[in-house]
Amino acid sequence: MGISYGEESFEEIGEVAQNNLDIALVRGGDQVVLKEAKEEAKPQFFGGNTDGTPKRTRVRSRAMSTALRKIFAENQRIFIMGHRYPDMDALGSAFGVAYMAMMSDKECYIILNPKEITADIQRALEELKKYPELERFVITGEEAVNLSNEESVLVMVDYHKPSMSISQAVYDEFDKIAVIDHHRRGDEFPDKPLLTYIESSASSASELVAELIQYRASRRSQVPKFITTSLLAGIYVDTKNFTVRTTGRTFDIAGYLKNQGADTSLVQYMLSTDLDSYLMISELVSRSQHFREDIVIAAADEDRVYDSVTVAKAADTLLSINGICGVCHYETARRFDRYQC
Ligand SMILES: [Mn+2]
């Protein structure tokens, strides 16, 4: 909750209350932030972690790295799952977590649904074939349910809403759960997770996970090239090539990944567009119409389904056109009940 009061206008008090709510979310939720609507007022925190600071700190990331290591030490099998139709950020962060499990000498598994693979993930999986020792981590939801035991933990990466899980059966199977995400926390959330690392100021889950790896890495251990490259690709997609949500820390960690052997031309390849999807993107772009001078809407046919990557790329293409500052894909907006403007 975010609460404010004072002698300012309702609008200003409302703004401070909203801001307080944001602070509560950044701090991990489960708390109330109260602050009077005037410049010099200090916020008060109730519940959650009372003496935490609202800013993202390296101390916190180091603490998370240690906490995760402890959770891994207490378990035998580490299962990692992203959101449905995973993108490179979900896959990159999943492999990053898998690397940490490897450093703890644990068995680890990454859950993917072969029926929900987009073109960029397909290219990454092709590349993965060159790394048989990593490829064997990838399993289906059914396999995960069979493999899970008392000493198993599930790490959710790049999402936190249970209903967005690649496999609902896998989510239901676990009561020990850790969450690593960069999306603003919503209402729907797992019950009593062992660890919650939600940092909405981070560009991507890959950025968060790469930082966790950085704190654990020793000079002896070389992070496999596939993993550093996937993490970097995750940062690329979520920041649209370092143009949005990018902070100094994003560049810091990108530099670290590059020094660890990340291959930028491979990133380019993984994120490239093939002719079929290029044609679908063009199809959407060609159907766009001005809604206002600076906003266009691309409305698809009622019965035509585009995957989210295609939709996002079409929106990016339209946004790169001079004078356009908002793009709205009608079907997406209707289905997900939100506008990507
Ligand atoms: Mn992401």
Side-chain angles (χ1 to χ4, degrees):
M1 270 187 253
I3 300 176
S4 184
Y5 62 97
E7 289 167 12
E8 314 292 334
S9 70
F10 280 138
E11 203 181 341
E12 282 168 64
I13 296 173
E15 226 169 75
V16 177
Q18 178 62 50
N19 197 25
N20 291 346
L21 180 59
D22 290 349
I23 292 172
L25 290 169
V26 166
R27 287 161 51 91
D30 295 326
Q31 55 190 283
V32 179
V33 178
L34 174 72
K35 180 176 170 286
E36 193 182 345
K38 63 178 184 191
E39 284 282 328
E40 64 278 13
K42 283 216 161 65
Q44 280 181 278
F45 304 101
F46 300 91
N49 182 5
T50 39
D51 52 9
T53 87
K55 280 214 192 79
R56 177 176 171 209
T57 63
R58 293 196 189 263
V59 176
R60 180 152 185 244
S61 144
R62 190 183 290 270
M64 286 296 172
S65 182
T66 313
L68 198 60
R69 183 183 197 157
K70 196 165 157 270
I71 291 173
F72 286 0
E74 286 162 359
N75 286 280
Q76 177 200 9
R77 292 178 179 167
I78 319 297
F79 293 80
I80 308 154
M81 180 160 68
H83 51 80
R84 292 186 66 189
Y85 291 97
D87 54 11
M88 272 316 292
D89 188 32
L91 192 76
S93 51
F95 270 98
V97 172
Y99 178 67
M100 285 188 276
M102 277 164 73
M103 284 198 289
S104 295
D105 288 319
K106 299 295 170 177
E107 291 173 37
C108 62
Y109 304 97
I110 294 171
I111 293 129
L112 282 181
N113 179 352
K115 291 195 193 94
E116 296 185 350
I117 301 289
T118 52
D120 49 345
I121 297 299
Q122 188 57 49
R123 276 188 291 267
L125 293 178
E126 285 299 320
E127 180 64 24
L128 182 60
K129 291 197 171 123
K130 296 180 192 159
Y131 302 80
E133 73 284 4
L134 299 178
E135 196 187 18
R136 64 188 169 85
F137 294 162
V138 178
I139 59 169
T140 63
E142 293 91 82
E143 288 173 309
V145 170
N146 288 331
L147 280 164
S148 75
N149 60 12
E150 284 291 293
E151 290 173 45
S152 296
V153 60
L154 175 68
V155 184
M156 292 161 68
V157 290
D158 197 30
Y159 82 110
H160 61 262
K161 292 188 180 129
S163 63
M164 282 172 70
S165 297
I166 288 176
S167 159
Q168 197 62 43
V170 170
Y171 174 79
D172 294 338
E173 184 72 19
F174 287 83
D175 38 46
K176 287 185 274 183
I177 290 177
V179 184
I180 303 175
D181 192 14
H182 67 110
H183 297 98
R184 193 150 281 221
R185 184 173 160 170
D187 280 347
E188 198 198 322
F189 202 74
D191 269 348
K192 300 198 183 78
L194 294 176
L195 175 138
T196 306
Y197 188 19
I198 294 191
E199 195 66 78
S200 51
S201 66
S203 70
S204 50
S206 294
E207 177 181 322
L208 290 173
V209 170
E211 281 188 354
L212 297 178
I213 290 177
Q214 194 180 18
Y215 285 124
R216 277 209 57 181
S218 67
R219 240 172 283 144
R220 282 178 299 126
S221 56
Q222 175 72 35
V223 190
K225 192 182 195 156
F226 177 81
I227 295 183
T228 51
T229 304
S230 307
L231 285 164
L232 190 57
I235 296 176
Y236 264 86
V237 270
D238 274 23
T239 61
K240 302 193 195 304
N241 304 339
F242 297 93
T243 54
V244 296
R245 287 188 295 273
T246 307
T247 65
R249 284 177 77 165
T250 316
F251 285 108
D252 284 350
I253 206 65
Y256 167 75
L257 291 170
K258 181 71 193 159
N259 286 336
Q260 288 288 311
D263 179 345
T264 39
S265 51
L266 188 55
V267 169
Q268 197 73 34
Y269 168 70
M270 283 178 185
L271 302 178
S272 61
T273 307
D274 54 44
L275 183 61
D276 283 346
S277 51
Y278 187 80
L279 291 173
M280 286 213 279
I281 292 165
S282 311
E283 193 175 287
L284 269 175
V285 170
S286 71
R287 296 179 63 99
S288 60
Q289 282 180 4
H290 274 285
F291 165 67
R292 233 169 54 185
E293 204 179 326
D294 55 348
I295 296 182
V296 290
I297 296 184
D301 271 338
E302 279 291 314
D303 50 355
R304 190 96 161 84
V305 178
Y306 298 87
D307 67 66
S308 55
V309 177
T310 306
V311 173
K313 284 188 176 172
D316 285 344
T317 307
L318 287 166
L319 279 171
S320 69
I321 293 167
N322 203 3
I324 304 293
C325 70
V327 175
C328 182
H329 179 261
Y330 178 68
E331 280 299 309
T332 310
R334 225 176 41 170
R335 234 180 322 141
F336 296 108
D337 194 26
R338 69 186 161 87
Y339 288 81
Q340 278 194 310
C341 283

